[in-house]
Amino acid sequence: MATQVQRKDAPTNPRGIPFAPFVDKVEDYVSSRAEVDGTMKSFQEMIAKYQFMEVNTQRRSAGLKDKIPDIQKTLDTVRFLKTREPDAEPLEATFELNDTLYAKAHVPYTDEVYLWLGANVMLAYPIPEAEELLEGKLNAAKLTLTNCEEDLDFLREQITTLEVATARVYNWDVTQKRKEKTELGDHGERDGKEIAPNG
């Protein structure tokens, strides 16, 4: 129960990703060499979780970087259609069907547009509503991308902090092993000198 309460109270970034523990004094985390393996394993699990979050955030960021230009292009087109007068002549336009296929079309004056919403759904919107919807989606996508980039920096920092913590605990363990070895060696030499005859 104590760990659950501790996790709820643990500081996080604005999107709820917890800060990694900073190990200033190893003795605060490890009181004996017997606890070293468990602590190191815990740090490695935390690193793996941060790396998993990093990969997912990178994917989300890449998707947004692809999506934002498309939303901007669509918004620019809607704004252009909004400027047209009702008595304007049909406009000849070339539009993209897919990456390598384009078609020509004559576009008469219109006061509504059809937008793909995803999942094979297309809806008709009056131009002002379409513009408002696209502006909202564009702003939301830009904000999400900014948050993703902040989270990526934060996650990299937490991974580095945990790698340093792991190295500190490992080095502390090595130092403790050397101390134990030296103490055992000193006791053996003293015992040997007492037993060895003089002369």
Side-chain angles (χ1 to χ4, degrees):
M1 275 237 173
T3 55
Q4 289 176 347
V5 171
Q6 195 175 22
R7 284 184 184 163
K8 286 180 185 174
D9 296 340
T12 63
N13 80 344
R15 271 132 336 258
I17 301 171
F19 280 87
F22 179 76
V23 177
D24 190 27
K25 289 177 65 179
V26 175
E27 291 80 9
D28 294 342
Y29 289 86
V30 180
S31 57
S32 70
R33 286 195 48 228
E35 296 175 8
V36 168
D37 286 339
T39 303
M40 299 266 283
K41 185 177 180 185
S42 169
F43 286 168
Q44 292 301 323
E45 287 173 359
M46 290 168 69
I47 288 172
K49 289 176 184 177
Y50 282 123
Q51 288 171 335
F52 177 76
M53 286 187 267
E54 182 183 27
V55 168
N56 285 336
T57 305
Q58 285 171 337
R59 276 194 205 125
R60 192 171 346 128
S61 176
L64 288 166
K65 285 177 182 175
D66 287 343
K67 191 184 290 186
I68 287 172
D70 289 343
I71 296 171
Q72 184 65 58
K73 233 191 280 186
T74 305
L75 180 59
D76 292 342
T77 304
V78 168
R79 285 177 177 158
F80 171 74
L81 291 172
K82 186 179 178 182
T83 63
R84 297 195 67 219
E85 299 293 326
D87 58 347
E89 294 215 8
L91 175 73
E92 186 175 308
T94 304
F95 64 95
E96 184 179 0
L97 292 174
N98 71 20
D99 292 338
T100 58
L101 183 62
Y102 292 83
K104 285 189 177 184
H106 292 278
V107 183
Y109 168 81
T110 181
D111 57 354
E112 69 178 9
V113 292
Y114 292 82
L115 298 178
W116 284 108
L117 300 181
N120 295 325
V121 175
M122 180 184 267
L123 284 180
Y125 285 93
I127 287 181
E129 277 184 42
E131 183 179 21
E132 186 180 328
L133 174 76
L134 290 167
E135 284 173 349
K137 288 203 176 285
L138 183 62
N139 292 335
K142 285 180 179 177
L143 178 64
T144 305
L145 180 60
T146 302
N147 291 341
C148 283
E149 288 169 355
E150 286 175 12
D151 287 349
L152 283 171
D153 290 340
F154 178 80
L155 288 165
R156 288 183 193 114
E157 188 178 301
Q158 302 319 299
I159 290 168
T160 302
T161 300
L162 280 169
E163 287 170 345
V164 169
T166 302
R168 284 185 175 173
V169 171
Y170 177 80
N171 290 340
W172 180 86
D173 186 40
V174 169
T175 304
Q176 295 304 312
K177 281 181 189 175
R178 284 185 186 153
K179 282 182 185 176
E180 287 176 12
K181 201 174 191 181
T182 304
E183 288 172 7
L184 287 174
D186 287 347
H187 289 299
E189 286 176 19
R190 284 187 206 137
D191 293 343
K193 284 181 183 175
E194 289 172 11
I195 296 171
N198 266 347

